[in-house]
């Protein structure tokens, strides 16, 4: 074989040379070895593409990517159909792009898909959170507002929400999105009457412990040595790790209950 430049080699020689190289490391064929018709076809193709309208350009782009297999192909097809309908004057009733997002993330709701796209690494958690809380948002601002709301804050404080095995993932996800590493603790104050026995006097003025009985949902006023004195009239359910104390003042039969912790308790009707 003569020592001619690579660009001047015959076509059959080039094909043999290419076949001897590994698949991932093939040399690039120089431009001088390509026929003029190849460049003409490429130039004409670029001219045609440059004349497409923006909407048709997007459709062409999605169709050119739809050759990939799997979810991306399905998403490309859905997006291509949506863009074609928009080009024809169609307008979505609520918001556009929900079908493609659901196909991409493998969940049946756009809100679930937004949670996953925002960084939630569990379809199970997204499904349970949306189904139990039943929120309504259509964009990232609405998602963030929902995550910062008191309802989600109270649910996040529970150890079994959205599910028992995904609660840790959810808390970490919410903390990253909202910029909080842990649920915010705040002070809440309540005024509650005691359920005293006949002839029983209320505790002397001062500060007392409050003990929550999860079995009976009663809040007990407890002495410094942990002796139960009397319960509050209203039952309470608090699944968070909050701290309670009660203060009694002169000329007032009520207990001033102070709560420090995340979320809010559920006060029931009077017993």
């Amino acid at each position: 074989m003569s020592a001619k430049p690579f660009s001047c080699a015959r076509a059959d020689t080039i094909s043999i040379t290419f076949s001897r190289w590994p698949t991932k490391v093939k040399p690039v064929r120089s431009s001088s070895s390509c026929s003029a018709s190849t460049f003409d076809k490429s130039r004409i193709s670029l001219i045609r593409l440059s004349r497409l309208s923006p909407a048709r350009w997007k459709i062409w782009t999605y169709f050119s990517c739809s050759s990939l297999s799997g979810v991306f192909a399905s998403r490309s097809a859905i997006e291509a159909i949506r863009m074609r309908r928009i080009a024809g004057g169609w307008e979505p009733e609520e918001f556009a792009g929900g079908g493609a997002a659901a196909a991409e993330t493998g969940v049946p709701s756009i809100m679930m898909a937004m949670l996953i796209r925002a960084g939630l690494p569990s379809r199970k958690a997204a499904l349970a959170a949306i189904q139990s809380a039943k929120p309504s948002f259509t964009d990232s601002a609405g998602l963030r507002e929902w995550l910062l709301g008191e309802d989600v804050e109270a649910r996040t404080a529970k150890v079994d929400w959205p599910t028992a095995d995904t609660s840790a993932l959810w808390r970490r996800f919410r903390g990253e999105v909202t910029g909080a590493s842990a649920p915010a603790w705040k002070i809440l104050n309540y005024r509650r009457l005691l359920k005293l026995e006949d002839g029983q006097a209320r505790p002397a003025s001062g500060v007392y412990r409050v003990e929550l009985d999860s079995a009976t949902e009663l809040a007990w006023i407890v002495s410094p040595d942990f002796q139960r004195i009397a319960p509050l009239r209203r039952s309470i359910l608090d699944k968070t790790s909050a701290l309670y104390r009660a203060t009694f003042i002169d000329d007032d039969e009520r207990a001033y209950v102070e709560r420090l912790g995340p979320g809010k308790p559920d006060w029931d009707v009077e017993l």
Side-chain angles (χ1 to χ4, degrees):
M1 181 176 178
S2 59
K4 293 182 179 182
F6 181 74
S7 60
C8 298
R10 295 179 300 173
D12 56 348
T13 305
I14 294 175
S15 63
I16 295 173
T17 305
F18 279 3
S19 63
R20 292 177 181 175
W21 283 79
T23 305
K24 296 182 179 179
V25 191
K26 288 186 178 181
V28 180
R29 186 175 178 179
S30 64
S31 60
S32 60
S33 62
C34 298
S35 61
S37 60
T38 303
F39 293 104
D40 290 339
K41 292 178 180 178
S42 300
R43 181 173 58 83
I44 294 172
S45 177
L46 290 174
I47 292 174
R48 289 177 178 175
L49 291 176
S50 64
R51 294 176 180 175
L52 293 177
S53 63
R56 292 187 177 274
W57 175 268
K58 290 183 179 181
I59 294 174
W60 179 87
T61 303
Y62 282 116
F63 272 125
S64 65
C65 296
S66 62
S67 58
L68 298 176
S69 60
V71 175
F72 186 75
S74 302
R75 178 179 180 273
S76 301
I78 295 174
E79 286 292 316
I81 294 172
R82 181 174 69 87
M83 293 305 301
R84 185 167 184 176
R85 295 181 68 186
I86 291 176
W90 170 80
E91 294 183 359
E93 296 180 359
E94 296 182 0
F95 51 87
E104 178 185 357
T105 54
V107 290
S109 166
I110 178 62
M111 290 182 287
M112 300 175 190
M114 290 178 66
L115 285 175
I116 295 174
R117 283 182 167 184
L120 181 61
S122 171
R123 292 189 182 95
K124 182 179 180 181
L127 185 69
I130 297 300
Q131 287 181 343
S132 60
K134 295 180 174 57
S136 178
F137 55 82
T138 58
D139 52 19
S140 57
L143 169 62
R144 180 176 175 80
E145 182 180 357
W146 175 66
L147 291 174
L148 288 171
E150 293 184 354
D151 179 62
V152 177
E153 181 181 353
R155 293 174 185 270
T156 303
K158 299 177 181 178
V159 296
D160 58 349
W161 197 84
T163 63
D165 55 340
T166 62
S167 59
L169 285 175
W170 174 265
R171 286 194 295 271
R172 184 174 62 186
F173 158 73
R174 183 176 179 271
E176 291 174 353
V177 173
T178 60
S181 58
W185 283 43
K186 53 189 176 183
I187 298 176
L188 299 176
N189 295 290
Y190 307 94
R191 296 180 182 180
R192 296 290 182 263
L193 291 173
L194 296 179
K195 186 181 180 181
L196 300 173
E197 299 292 339
D198 294 338
Q200 182 182 6
R202 77 154 175 86
S205 299
V207 180
Y208 294 80
R209 302 175 186 269
V210 177
E211 179 184 295
L212 302 185
D213 190 337
S214 59
T216 60
E217 298 183 358
L218 292 177
W220 284 85
I221 303 299
V222 181
S223 64
D225 58 349
F226 298 97
Q227 298 295 320
R228 290 182 174 181
I229 301 175
L232 302 180
R233 285 189 180 181
R234 299 177 67 92
S235 62
I236 182 175
L237 179 62
D238 194 341
K239 293 185 177 181
T240 66
S241 55
L243 304 175
Y244 286 83
R245 71 176 182 181
T247 303
F248 291 91
I249 61 176
D250 295 336
D251 301 326
D252 196 338
E253 296 296 322
R254 295 170 298 178
Y256 288 76
V257 180
E258 185 177 7
R259 177 186 183 274
L260 173 62
K264 288 183 176 180
D266 294 327
W267 291 94
D268 201 355
V269 296
E270 291 189 3
L271 298 176

